[in-house]
Structures are given as structure tokens and as C-alpha cells.
Amino acid sequence: MVSSLGVSRGLVVVVCAPSGAGKTSICKKLVSECADVVFSISATTRSPRGVEKHGQEYFFMSKEEFSRASSAGEFLEQSFVFGNFYGTPKASVERYIECGMDVVLDVDCDGARQISSAYPSDSVTIYIFPPSIEELANRLVSRNENSADEIERRLKDAELCVANLSLFDYIVVNDNLQKAYEDVKSIIRAEKLKTSRRELSSY
């Protein structure tokens, strides 16, 4: 009799970080370089920025559309951030992990809590943090995408998230983008190798 080890379901990879910490760059690199990793596109009521397109960066919805979808239970998690609603479509995440694909989710701290509760055995939560709040402020200013008031709000939000770090399984400090990316990739690889995520079959 020969035994084989397999992974029946994909992993829900929850990545959370303050704006400017490098989360988007790390997630894009994961998806582009790892054939079994996909990115979950969130729905939002905010307006597109720059060259953002519906169905690529986000599913852009009116508040009425978002409310209808929420009432129908179509979101895995949802939040209200800086005056806009955000939500993770449940159906696509379920479809991917059932096929054995790992799904990367970009959410806030409350979203991470909701997903951990929904997928206690199939999720891993990672918080990306810059070397310091001062460095985060420098990154936000250099991006030249937000007003001074919005930058201030984002910095206060980042400080509040520090109080919730115990919620996360791992913390990655991004003082070097490539190293931070490799750290995140190593976390996913290690989580996939856990005995609890393996199925033993005999034939």
C-alpha cells in the first residue's frame, strides 16, 4: 500500500497594512510569480482613481448596489473606511479555494478578524508594517495621491492598528520590498506544509 499526501483546499491569505506600507506591491508580485495564487478583487463604493478599471483593481458599485449585495449575504467581509464601503465577494473566494488555489485578500484589521472567524482552518493573517510611522508618512507624502487631511487620517489609522497586531498570525516589516515579499512567500509555503492542511490517501 502506498500513501500520498495532497492538499484538498486552497489557503485564504489575508494581507493587511496601512496605506504606503507596500502591501499592494507585495500582493501583485505574489500573483504574478506564483501560478497557484490569485488575488481577490474587492467591491467598493469609492470612485476609481487614475487608470483604475472596474473588475481589475475593484468592482466599483453605487451605495445602493453595495447595500443590496450586502443584504443578500454576498460579502465574506465588509467595512466602512474613509467614507466608503468595501467588501470581499464570497462566491469567488469559495470557488478558488475549492479548486486548491490560494487567494490573497487585501483587507483592513476588522476584515481580517471577520475572515479568520469565517475560515478558522483555511486562513492565515499577515500584517505588513513599514520600519516606522515616520517612514510611512514620508511614503504617503511622496506618493502625492492624498490630501494632508487624508494622510493624517491614514497615519492615525495605522497607529490604531498597532493595538490590534495580536490579531495576526505573522508580522512582516517592509524595510526592503524584495525581502518582505520573500518573507510573505515563505509564510504561505510553510502554512501549506502544515500537517493539518494535508490529506493522507492510500492506494
Side-chain angles (χ1 to χ4, degrees):
M1 180 178 293
V2 180
S3 296
S4 63
L5 289 170
V7 179
S8 59
R9 286 166 61 85
L11 188 66
V12 180
V13 182
V14 180
V15 181
C16 185
S19 297
K23 170 182 57 179
T24 301
S25 297
I26 291 171
C27 290
K28 285 183 176 179
K29 197 170 176 61
L30 278 171
V31 173
S32 66
E33 295 188 5
C34 304
D36 58 347
V37 176
V38 294
F39 186 76
S40 173
I41 301 174
S42 297
T44 181
T45 59
R46 78 160 172 79
S47 301
R49 297 172 183 163
V51 296
E52 289 180 338
K53 294 182 180 179
H54 178 75
Q56 292 187 12
E57 287 79 13
Y58 288 95
F59 294 114
F60 295 101
M61 307 173 70
S62 67
K63 290 185 178 181
E64 291 74 19
E65 290 172 327
F66 192 97
S67 179
R68 285 196 294 270
S70 177
S71 297
E74 296 178 10
F75 294 127
L76 179 60
E77 60 81 33
Q78 59 187 60
S79 59
F80 185 71
V81 183
F82 300 130
N84 289 292
F85 291 99
Y86 293 81
T88 300
K90 184 188 301 183
S92 58
V93 172
E94 283 288 341
R95 183 170 63 252
Y96 281 126
I97 64 173
E98 285 294 336
C99 293
M101 299 287 288
D102 299 330
V103 186
V104 176
L105 276 64
D106 173 358
V107 299
D108 65 6
C109 290
D110 188 53
R113 185 181 295 106
Q114 294 176 58
I115 293 168
S116 293
S117 177
Y119 294 102
S121 301
D122 295 318
S123 66
V124 56
T125 54
I126 305 170
Y127 193 86
I128 310 294
F129 205 75
S132 66
I133 292 295
E134 291 75 17
E135 173 61 21
L136 178 63
N138 291 336
R139 293 180 187 182
L140 289 174
V141 170
S142 65
R143 282 164 56 170
N144 197 30
E145 293 180 354
N146 307 114
S147 66
D149 287 343
E150 187 167 358
I151 289 174
E152 184 65 25
R153 287 198 301 270
R154 291 181 184 277
L155 291 175
K156 288 181 179 179
D157 184 61
E159 292 174 346
L160 288 173
C161 280
V162 173
N164 293 303
L165 290 182
S166 60
L167 165 70
F168 296 88
D169 299 313
Y170 300 91
I171 299 172
V172 173
V173 177
N174 180 17
D175 52 4
N176 177 282
L177 183 60
Q178 182 61 31
K179 181 180 181 300
Y181 163 69
E182 293 293 343
D183 286 345
V184 172
K185 191 164 68 169
S186 294
I187 290 168
I188 297 173
R189 184 182 297 117
E191 286 288 327
K192 297 281 286 186
L193 293 175
K194 280 187 173 179
T195 305
S196 59
R197 301 194 196 285
R198 295 280 179 167
E199 276 193 348
L200 177 64
S201 59
S202 301
Y203 56 91

